[in-house]
Amino acid sequence: MKKIQFLTIAFALLIITAISCKKAEEAPAPAEPAKAAFDLATAKTTVEAGYAEFEKAFNSKDSVGLANCYATDAKFMAPNDKAVEGRPAIQKSFTEWFKGDTPQIKISLVELWGNDTNLTAENSWSMTGKDGKVIDEGKSIEVYKMEDGKWKLLRDCWNSNMPAVPIKK
């Protein structure tokens, strides 16, 4: 009789252990922390703040500060010129440009679209001379990527609204 009771208890413990192990295996994995939803309005505010930073660096002829607005693998695509690739080359281009009489720039966001990986911006810009008169104005398309927790220019392509200068023959 004791053998039967012992086997019954042992069998019952075996079943309870098997059931509890099965439930532990079926338990859902803990949820991953929720990723913050992408907010285009916040991205817009960030891009506009980046424009202020860009304008400040450009208007003070700060080629280092200006280059830091760009991603490490950025391309700067000015009209009538080859693309300049990489932050050091972009800085060098602005350093050369700033040796001359550089106008002041003002940039305004027209439209922004994208997601948490890339943003695309359309803007308008104007450049003024020392007398405050507009000497050039145009538009640009920019692509941004997140780098080191900050939106950085990945592609910057711009052109003027002014008529092209005729080629002399």
Side-chain angles (χ1 to χ4, degrees):
M1 183 77 163
K2 285 189 179 192
K3 240 183 186 181
I4 294 175
Q5 275 182 327
F6 174 74
L7 288 176
T8 304
I9 292 171
F11 185 69
L13 288 174
L14 183 62
I15 291 174
I16 292 170
T17 303
I19 290 172
S20 65
C21 288
K22 183 77 170 166
K23 286 184 179 180
E25 290 173 6
E26 292 175 359
E32 291 183 26
K35 186 177 179 183
F38 175 73
D39 181 14
L40 192 58
T42 300
K44 180 181 177 186
T45 301
T46 303
V47 168
E48 288 174 328
Y51 284 169
E53 184 180 327
F54 187 98
E55 289 170 359
K56 180 181 177 186
F58 187 95
N59 293 337
S60 63
K61 298 184 176 190
D62 176 7
S63 62
V64 173
L66 199 53
N68 285 333
C69 294
Y70 290 84
T72 55
D73 56 343
K75 281 188 184 179
F76 178 72
M77 298 172 274
N80 306 311
D81 205 354
K82 292 180 181 179
V84 178
E85 295 184 49
R87 191 182 291 156
I90 291 169
Q91 179 184 340
K92 182 179 178 185
S93 290
F94 281 117
T95 299
E96 290 300 313
W97 195 6
F98 291 152
K99 287 180 180 177
D101 189 23
T102 311
Q104 299 288 290
I105 193 167
K106 177 68 180 148
I107 308 168
S108 299
L109 182 64
V110 173
E111 188 174 356
L112 181 73
W113 59 98
N115 55 41
D116 61 340
T117 307
N118 287 98
L119 295 173
T120 304
E122 174 188 350
N123 70 43
S124 61
W125 53 266
S126 64
M127 292 186 178
T128 55
K130 290 179 181 178
D131 59 2
K133 289 184 181 179
V134 173
I135 58 173
D136 199 1
E137 60 185 5
K139 66 273 184 196
S140 70
I141 293 289
E142 302 164 333
V143 178
Y144 290 82
K145 79 172 189 175
M146 187 62 73
E147 185 175 271
D148 298 328
K150 188 173 180 180
W151 288 109
K152 300 276 188 165
L153 282 158
L154 178 63
R155 298 291 184 266
D156 186 3
C157 184
W158 59 278
N159 58 54
S160 174
N161 292 341
M162 302 294 192
V165 177
I167 299 173
K168 294 182 181 182
K169 292 184 180 184

